Amino acid sequence: MGDEARYIGVAERRARLALRHRLAGAARAAGPEEVAGSLVALHGSDPATVYLAVGARLVDPAGTVPQTGRALYEDRTLVRMHGMRHTVFVFPTELTAVVHASTGLTVAARERAALLKDMAAAGAPDAAWLKEVEESALAALSRRGQATAAELARDEPRLREQFAYAAGKSYAGVHTVSTRLLRVLGVEGRVVRGRPLGSWTSSQFRWAVAPAHPELDPAEAQAALLERWLTVCGPATEADLKWWTGWKVTDVRRALAAIGARSVSLDEGTGHVVDGDVGPVAEPAEPWAALLPALDPTAMGWQQRDWYLAPELRPALFDYSGNVGPTVWWNGRVVGGWAQRPDGEIVWRILAPDGVGRDAEAAIAAEAERLREWVGTTRVTPRFRTPVEKELAR
């Protein structure tokens, strides 16, 4: 073949996705740590997404809720924290240092500067005062183990201080120091999301002191994170990599060079894989179906999605901000959407104009029943709702 880049077509990309994202039957995982390790990161903006994404990939999903709760809040093998694109994710704990150095440091500096600027504009106390308050709050959190913002404010009343922001603007309002400060500390990797106040679907949560981790060189951390993600999601274009990481294109290119990534040819143009991953990948032995939740890391994994999600399906499956809703998959492509009704029934609809056939519908129905069995009586409503999900959920 010489120097010509190998072409990787849609069928092979879907085969890679099926196996590496733990979606094909034979590739399913034994526990939540295995799922998160395979996917690098699970979207954590909506707490229910984490559990639903794990359950869809387990050999036996019956233990999804207790096993995932244990990993997050008892064993701490998984951590829910800010990561790429200023978004909350769930990572394997061993990746926290890599995420912090590769992505968090830059965002954290910007967030702290913005907080101090807003406080100064409102005539609020200065940086020295804020530093004193945050040290007191962290000490209180360390004593408590886990706490809500309100509980911390009982220990450190200055957290209740308020200041106006964006005076004269249409979006003007009032911020409480605790809200902004805890967000900054989260991006800085000093605190993480703790156990929810209610069930596993609750968006109200406690805070906890972040697990200790070494400080890594940012460039080395970027190379490590990109290599980890590209191993799971390669091939990917430069645009995919820039979008997923939220980095500058110069950072992406430097990291690609550092790991010795190989170029391949895709329908979208030049793609990249890790060294040693250029060769062909066989399709799964059996056809497969999956019901993935809103913001699932597979559905949101790439910026350029035509190879697994037809453009004509997007209006029904995405909200106005570009967040994907619950999706139905058949053999590596999105073919429809699903929802849960108030009585707990899982309902789904095929949106693919060419249909999927009886075998596919039977497999999808089996996945819907599998999901209903482990979710039980819990009602799951996506935080970001899409047209087809809202219609089906009535």
PDB file of all heavy atoms in Angstrom, residues 36-67:
ATOM      1  N   ALA A  36     -17.027   2.220  32.249  1.00  0.00           N
ATOM      2  CA  ALA A  36     -16.400   3.542  32.243  1.00  0.00           C
ATOM      3  C   ALA A  36     -14.973   3.478  31.722  1.00  0.00           C
ATOM      4  O   ALA A  36     -14.527   4.368  30.989  1.00  0.00           O
ATOM      5  CB  ALA A  36     -16.412   4.135  33.647  1.00  0.00           C
ATOM      6  N   GLY A  37     -14.251   2.424  32.066  1.00  0.00           N
ATOM      7  CA  GLY A  37     -12.889   2.276  31.573  1.00  0.00           C
ATOM      8  C   GLY A  37     -12.844   2.121  30.071  1.00  0.00           C
ATOM      9  O   GLY A  37     -11.948   2.649  29.399  1.00  0.00           O
ATOM     10  N   SER A  38     -13.828   1.425  29.524  1.00  0.00           N
ATOM     11  CA  SER A  38     -13.867   1.224  28.078  1.00  0.00           C
ATOM     12  C   SER A  38     -14.231   2.501  27.336  1.00  0.00           C
ATOM     13  O   SER A  38     -13.714   2.768  26.254  1.00  0.00           O
ATOM     14  CB  SER A  38     -14.878   0.131  27.729  1.00  0.00           C
ATOM     15  OG  SER A  38     -14.475  -1.120  28.250  1.00  0.00           O
ATOM     16  N   LEU A  39     -15.135   3.289  27.914  1.00  0.00           N
ATOM     17  CA  LEU A  39     -15.645   4.476  27.232  1.00  0.00           C
ATOM     18  C   LEU A  39     -14.870   5.749  27.570  1.00  0.00           C
ATOM     19  O   LEU A  39     -15.123   6.797  26.982  1.00  0.00           O
ATOM     20  CB  LEU A  39     -17.118   4.676  27.584  1.00  0.00           C
ATOM     21  CG  LEU A  39     -18.063   3.598  27.041  1.00  0.00           C
ATOM     22  CD1 LEU A  39     -19.444   3.744  27.646  1.00  0.00           C
ATOM     23  CD2 LEU A  39     -18.151   3.682  25.530  1.00  0.00           C
ATOM     24  N   VAL A  40     -13.961   5.694  28.530  1.00  0.00           N
ATOM     25  CA  VAL A  40     -13.161   6.828  29.001  1.00  0.00           C
ATOM     26  C   VAL A  40     -13.980   7.751  29.889  1.00  0.00           C
ATOM     27  O   VAL A  40     -13.571   8.118  30.978  1.00  0.00           O
ATOM     28  CB  VAL A  40     -12.520   7.645  27.855  1.00  0.00           C
ATOM     29  CG1 VAL A  40     -11.645   8.772  28.398  1.00  0.00           C
ATOM     30  CG2 VAL A  40     -11.732   6.735  26.926  1.00  0.00           C
ATOM     31  N   ALA A  41     -15.163   8.172  29.422  1.00  0.00           N
ATOM     32  CA  ALA A  41     -15.980   9.111  30.184  1.00  0.00           C
ATOM     33  C   ALA A  41     -17.452   8.871  29.897  1.00  0.00           C
ATOM     34  O   ALA A  41     -17.841   8.622  28.760  1.00  0.00           O
ATOM     35  CB  ALA A  41     -15.605  10.545  29.827  1.00  0.00           C
ATOM     36  N   LEU A  42     -18.265   8.953  30.947  1.00  0.00           N
ATOM     37  CA  LEU A  42     -19.715   8.893  30.815  1.00  0.00           C
ATOM     38  C   LEU A  42     -20.262  10.287  31.102  1.00  0.00           C
ATOM     39  O   LEU A  42     -19.871  10.917  32.073  1.00  0.00           O
ATOM     40  CB  LEU A  42     -20.315   7.906  31.823  1.00  0.00           C
ATOM     41  CG  LEU A  42     -19.785   6.480  31.791  1.00  0.00           C
ATOM     42  CD1 LEU A  42     -20.324   5.690  32.982  1.00  0.00           C
ATOM     43  CD2 LEU A  42     -20.173   5.798  30.496  1.00  0.00           C
ATOM     44  N   HIS A  43     -21.152  10.773  30.265  1.00  0.00           N
ATOM     45  CA  HIS A  43     -21.741  12.090  30.517  1.00  0.00           C
ATOM     46  C   HIS A  43     -22.461  12.080  31.859  1.00  0.00           C
ATOM     47  O   HIS A  43     -23.288  11.212  32.117  1.00  0.00           O
ATOM     48  CB  HIS A  43     -22.709  12.459  29.398  1.00  0.00           C
ATOM     49  CG  HIS A  43     -22.035  13.061  28.210  1.00  0.00           C
ATOM     50  ND1 HIS A  43     -21.939  14.415  28.023  1.00  0.00           N
ATOM     51  CD2 HIS A  43     -21.400  12.500  27.167  1.00  0.00           C
ATOM     52  CE1 HIS A  43     -21.276  14.664  26.895  1.00  0.00           C
ATOM     53  NE2 HIS A  43     -20.942  13.508  26.358  1.00  0.00           N
ATOM     54  N   GLY A  44     -22.151  13.083  32.701  1.00  0.00           N
ATOM     55  CA  GLY A  44     -22.724  13.125  34.037  1.00  0.00           C
ATOM     56  C   GLY A  44     -23.591  14.329  34.315  1.00  0.00           C
ATOM     57  O   GLY A  44     -23.991  14.546  35.459  1.00  0.00           O
ATOM     58  N   SER A  45     -23.898  15.139  33.297  1.00  0.00           N
ATOM     59  CA  SER A  45     -24.751  16.306  33.515  1.00  0.00           C
ATOM     60  C   SER A  45     -26.122  15.891  34.028  1.00  0.00           C
ATOM     61  O   SER A  45     -26.712  16.568  34.866  1.00  0.00           O
ATOM     62  CB  SER A  45     -24.909  17.104  32.220  1.00  0.00           C
ATOM     63  OG  SER A  45     -23.661  17.540  31.728  1.00  0.00           O
ATOM     64  N   ASP A  46     -26.642  14.803  33.497  1.00  0.00           N
ATOM     65  CA  ASP A  46     -27.898  14.221  33.958  1.00  0.00           C
ATOM     66  C   ASP A  46     -27.539  12.936  34.692  1.00  0.00           C
ATOM     67  O   ASP A  46     -27.066  11.979  34.078  1.00  0.00           O
ATOM     68  CB  ASP A  46     -28.797  13.928  32.755  1.00  0.00           C
ATOM     69  CG  ASP A  46     -30.177  13.421  33.162  1.00  0.00           C
ATOM     70  OD1 ASP A  46     -30.333  12.966  34.309  1.00  0.00           O
ATOM     71  OD2 ASP A  46     -31.090  13.475  32.321  1.00  0.00           O
ATOM     72  N   PRO A  47     -27.734  12.884  36.020  1.00  0.00           N
ATOM     73  CA  PRO A  47     -27.309  11.704  36.786  1.00  0.00           C
ATOM     74  C   PRO A  47     -27.856  10.390  36.242  1.00  0.00           C
ATOM     75  O   PRO A  47     -27.162   9.374  36.254  1.00  0.00           O
ATOM     76  CB  PRO A  47     -27.849  11.993  38.189  1.00  0.00           C
ATOM     77  CG  PRO A  47     -27.957  13.477  38.256  1.00  0.00           C
ATOM     78  CD  PRO A  47     -28.337  13.916  36.871  1.00  0.00           C
ATOM     79  N   ALA A  48     -29.101  10.399  35.768  1.00  0.00           N
ATOM     80  CA  ALA A  48     -29.691   9.155  35.278  1.00  0.00           C
ATOM     81  C   ALA A  48     -28.940   8.606  34.077  1.00  0.00           C
ATOM     82  O   ALA A  48     -28.894   7.394  33.865  1.00  0.00           O
ATOM     83  CB  ALA A  48     -31.164   9.380  34.916  1.00  0.00           C
ATOM     84  N   THR A  49     -28.339   9.488  33.277  1.00  0.00           N
ATOM     85  CA  THR A  49     -27.601   9.043  32.098  1.00  0.00           C
ATOM     86  C   THR A  49     -26.508   8.059  32.469  1.00  0.00           C
ATOM     87  O   THR A  49     -26.279   7.074  31.759  1.00  0.00           O
ATOM     88  CB  THR A  49     -26.988  10.253  31.366  1.00  0.00           C
ATOM     89  OG1 THR A  49     -28.038  11.013  30.773  1.00  0.00           O
ATOM     90  CG2 THR A  49     -26.032   9.809  30.268  1.00  0.00           C
ATOM     91  N   VAL A  50     -25.819   8.310  33.561  1.00  0.00           N
ATOM     92  CA  VAL A  50     -24.716   7.444  33.973  1.00  0.00           C
ATOM     93  C   VAL A  50     -25.213   6.021  34.188  1.00  0.00           C
ATOM     94  O   VAL A  50     -24.649   5.052  33.658  1.00  0.00           O
ATOM     95  CB  VAL A  50     -24.055   7.979  35.257  1.00  0.00           C
ATOM     96  CG1 VAL A  50     -22.947   7.042  35.723  1.00  0.00           C
ATOM     97  CG2 VAL A  50     -23.512   9.381  35.039  1.00  0.00           C
ATOM     98  N   TYR A  51     -26.285   5.882  34.947  1.00  0.00           N
ATOM     99  CA  TYR A  51     -26.815   4.555  35.255  1.00  0.00           C
ATOM    100  C   TYR A  51     -27.379   3.875  34.008  1.00  0.00           C
ATOM    101  O   TYR A  51     -27.166   2.675  33.795  1.00  0.00           O
ATOM    102  CB  TYR A  51     -27.899   4.675  36.321  1.00  0.00           C
ATOM    103  CG  TYR A  51     -27.371   5.052  37.678  1.00  0.00           C
ATOM    104  CD1 TYR A  51     -27.076   6.370  37.998  1.00  0.00           C
ATOM    105  CD2 TYR A  51     -27.159   4.082  38.661  1.00  0.00           C
ATOM    106  CE1 TYR A  51     -26.595   6.721  39.254  1.00  0.00           C
ATOM    107  CE2 TYR A  51     -26.683   4.414  39.917  1.00  0.00           C
ATOM    108  CZ  TYR A  51     -26.395   5.746  40.208  1.00  0.00           C
ATOM    109  OH  TYR A  51     -25.908   6.082  41.447  1.00  0.00           O
ATOM    110  N   LEU A  52     -28.108   4.627  33.192  1.00  0.00           N
ATOM    111  CA  LEU A  52     -28.696   4.049  31.991  1.00  0.00           C
ATOM    112  C   LEU A  52     -27.623   3.634  30.984  1.00  0.00           C
ATOM    113  O   LEU A  52     -27.754   2.608  30.307  1.00  0.00           O
ATOM    114  CB  LEU A  52     -29.661   5.041  31.353  1.00  0.00           C
ATOM    115  CG  LEU A  52     -30.932   5.343  32.160  1.00  0.00           C
ATOM    116  CD1 LEU A  52     -31.675   6.526  31.551  1.00  0.00           C
ATOM    117  CD2 LEU A  52     -31.843   4.120  32.229  1.00  0.00           C
ATOM    118  N   ALA A  53     -26.558   4.436  30.882  1.00  0.00           N
ATOM    119  CA  ALA A  53     -25.466   4.096  29.973  1.00  0.00           C
ATOM    120  C   ALA A  53     -24.742   2.845  30.445  1.00  0.00           C
ATOM    121  O   ALA A  53     -24.329   2.003  29.637  1.00  0.00           O
ATOM    122  CB  ALA A  53     -24.487   5.262  29.871  1.00  0.00           C
ATOM    123  N   VAL A  54     -24.581   2.704  31.754  1.00  0.00           N
ATOM    124  CA  VAL A  54     -23.949   1.498  32.302  1.00  0.00           C
ATOM    125  C   VAL A  54     -24.840   0.286  32.085  1.00  0.00           C
ATOM    126  O   VAL A  54     -24.402  -0.758  31.587  1.00  0.00           O
ATOM    127  CB  VAL A  54     -23.639   1.694  33.805  1.00  0.00           C
ATOM    128  CG1 VAL A  54     -23.266   0.363  34.460  1.00  0.00           C
ATOM    129  CG2 VAL A  54     -22.509   2.700  33.997  1.00  0.00           C
ATOM    130  N   GLY A  55     -26.115   0.408  32.443  1.00  0.00           N
ATOM    131  CA  GLY A  55     -27.026  -0.719  32.343  1.00  0.00           C
ATOM    132  C   GLY A  55     -27.159  -1.266  30.938  1.00  0.00           C
ATOM    133  O   GLY A  55     -27.305  -2.476  30.740  1.00  0.00           O
ATOM    134  N   ALA A  56     -27.091  -0.383  29.942  1.00  0.00           N
ATOM    135  CA  ALA A  56     -27.211  -0.816  28.551  1.00  0.00           C
ATOM    136  C   ALA A  56     -26.045  -1.678  28.117  1.00  0.00           C
ATOM    137  O   ALA A  56     -26.132  -2.382  27.097  1.00  0.00           O
ATOM    138  CB  ALA A  56     -27.310   0.409  27.639  1.00  0.00           C
ATOM    139  N   ARG A  57     -24.953  -1.649  28.877  1.00  0.00           N
ATOM    140  CA  ARG A  57     -23.726  -2.332  28.460  1.00  0.00           C
ATOM    141  C   ARG A  57     -23.324  -3.483  29.376  1.00  0.00           C
ATOM    142  O   ARG A  57     -22.249  -4.062  29.195  1.00  0.00           O
ATOM    143  CB  ARG A  57     -22.585  -1.310  28.380  1.00  0.00           C
ATOM    144  CG  ARG A  57     -22.798  -0.254  27.291  1.00  0.00           C
ATOM    145  CD  ARG A  57     -21.820   0.899  27.416  1.00  0.00           C
ATOM    146  NE  ARG A  57     -21.837   1.751  26.238  1.00  0.00           N
ATOM    147  CZ  ARG A  57     -22.674   2.782  26.080  1.00  0.00           C
ATOM    148  NH1 ARG A  57     -23.534   3.087  27.043  1.00  0.00           N
ATOM    149  NH2 ARG A  57     -22.636   3.506  24.975  1.00  0.00           N
ATOM    150  N   LEU A  58     -24.144  -3.808  30.358  1.00  0.00           N
ATOM    151  CA  LEU A  58     -23.809  -4.891  31.271  1.00  0.00           C
ATOM    152  C   LEU A  58     -24.381  -6.221  30.802  1.00  0.00           C
ATOM    153  O   LEU A  58     -25.484  -6.274  30.246  1.00  0.00           O
ATOM    154  CB  LEU A  58     -24.346  -4.592  32.673  1.00  0.00           C
ATOM    155  CG  LEU A  58     -23.722  -3.412  33.422  1.00  0.00           C
ATOM    156  CD1 LEU A  58     -24.318  -3.315  34.827  1.00  0.00           C
ATOM    157  CD2 LEU A  58     -22.208  -3.551  33.509  1.00  0.00           C
ATOM    158  N   VAL A  59     -23.642  -7.279  31.062  1.00  0.00           N
ATOM    159  CA  VAL A  59     -24.142  -8.620  30.782  1.00  0.00           C
ATOM    160  C   VAL A  59     -25.423  -8.849  31.564  1.00  0.00           C
ATOM    161  O   VAL A  59     -26.423  -9.341  31.038  1.00  0.00           O
ATOM    162  CB  VAL A  59     -23.076  -9.671  31.157  1.00  0.00           C
ATOM    163  CG1 VAL A  59     -23.664 -11.074  31.036  1.00  0.00           C
ATOM    164  CG2 VAL A  59     -21.841  -9.525  30.283  1.00  0.00           C
ATOM    165  N   ASP A  60     -25.401  -8.483  32.844  1.00  0.00           N
ATOM    166  CA  ASP A  60     -26.574  -8.610  33.708  1.00  0.00           C
ATOM    167  C   ASP A  60     -26.863  -7.230  34.303  1.00  0.00           C
ATOM    168  O   ASP A  60     -26.205  -6.812  35.253  1.00  0.00           O
ATOM    169  CB  ASP A  60     -26.326  -9.625  34.822  1.00  0.00           C
ATOM    170  CG  ASP A  60     -27.523  -9.781  35.751  1.00  0.00           C
ATOM    171  OD1 ASP A  60     -28.589  -9.199  35.448  1.00  0.00           O
ATOM    172  OD2 ASP A  60     -27.398 -10.480  36.771  1.00  0.00           O
ATOM    173  N   PRO A  61     -27.862  -6.516  33.778  1.00  0.00           N
ATOM    174  CA  PRO A  61     -28.112  -5.158  34.253  1.00  0.00           C
ATOM    175  C   PRO A  61     -28.888  -5.077  35.565  1.00  0.00           C
ATOM    176  O   PRO A  61     -29.126  -3.976  36.071  1.00  0.00           O
ATOM    177  CB  PRO A  61     -28.929  -4.550  33.107  1.00  0.00           C
ATOM    178  CG  PRO A  61     -29.673  -5.711  32.543  1.00  0.00           C
ATOM    179  CD  PRO A  61     -28.738  -6.890  32.661  1.00  0.00           C
ATOM    180  N   ALA A  62     -29.263  -6.206  36.142  1.00  0.00           N
ATOM    181  CA  ALA A  62     -30.092  -6.193  37.350  1.00  0.00           C
ATOM    182  C   ALA A  62     -29.422  -5.424  38.488  1.00  0.00           C
ATOM    183  O   ALA A  62     -30.096  -4.794  39.302  1.00  0.00           O
ATOM    184  CB  ALA A  62     -30.414  -7.622  37.783  1.00  0.00           C
ATOM    185  N   GLY A  63     -28.096  -5.478  38.549  1.00  0.00           N
ATOM    186  CA  GLY A  63     -27.389  -4.807  39.637  1.00  0.00           C
ATOM    187  C   GLY A  63     -26.871  -3.433  39.283  1.00  0.00           C
ATOM    188  O   GLY A  63     -26.008  -2.886  39.988  1.00  0.00           O
ATOM    189  N   THR A  64     -27.376  -2.839  38.215  1.00  0.00           N
ATOM    190  CA  THR A  64     -26.860  -1.556  37.731  1.00  0.00           C
ATOM    191  C   THR A  64     -26.847  -0.490  38.813  1.00  0.00           C
ATOM    192  O   THR A  64     -25.833   0.175  39.034  1.00  0.00           O
ATOM    193  CB  THR A  64     -27.692  -1.056  36.538  1.00  0.00           C
ATOM    194  OG1 THR A  64     -27.564  -1.969  35.451  1.00  0.00           O
ATOM    195  CG2 THR A  64     -27.219   0.318  36.084  1.00  0.00           C
ATOM    196  N   VAL A  65     -27.977  -0.284  39.490  1.00  0.00           N
ATOM    197  CA  VAL A  65     -28.079   0.810  40.453  1.00  0.00           C
ATOM    198  C   VAL A  65     -27.166   0.593  41.661  1.00  0.00           C
ATOM    199  O   VAL A  65     -26.361   1.471  41.991  1.00  0.00           O
ATOM    200  CB  VAL A  65     -29.544   1.021  40.872  1.00  0.00           C
ATOM    201  CG1 VAL A  65     -29.636   2.039  42.006  1.00  0.00           C
ATOM    202  CG2 VAL A  65     -30.365   1.501  39.681  1.00  0.00           C
ATOM    203  N   PRO A  66     -27.230  -0.534  42.360  1.00  0.00           N
ATOM    204  CA  PRO A  66     -26.331  -0.694  43.517  1.00  0.00           C
ATOM    205  C   PRO A  66     -24.856  -0.744  43.133  1.00  0.00           C
ATOM    206  O   PRO A  66     -24.015  -0.186  43.850  1.00  0.00           O
ATOM    207  CB  PRO A  66     -26.797  -2.013  44.152  1.00  0.00           C
ATOM    208  CG  PRO A  66     -27.524  -2.743  43.072  1.00  0.00           C
ATOM    209  CD  PRO A  66     -28.164  -1.682  42.239  1.00  0.00           C
ATOM    210  N   GLN A  67     -24.533  -1.369  42.010  1.00  0.00           N
ATOM    211  CA  GLN A  67     -23.129  -1.464  41.612  1.00  0.00           C
ATOM    212  C   GLN A  67     -22.558  -0.097  41.227  1.00  0.00           C
ATOM    213  O   GLN A  67     -21.428   0.240  41.596  1.00  0.00           O
ATOM    214  CB  GLN A  67     -22.979  -2.434  40.441  1.00  0.00           C
ATOM    215  CG  GLN A  67     -23.184  -3.894  40.796  1.00  0.00           C
ATOM    216  CD  GLN A  67     -23.084  -4.796  39.577  1.00  0.00           C
ATOM    217  OE1 GLN A  67     -22.450  -4.459  38.585  1.00  0.00           O
ATOM    218  NE2 GLN A  67     -23.724  -5.946  39.641  1.00  0.00           N
TER     219      GLN A  67
END
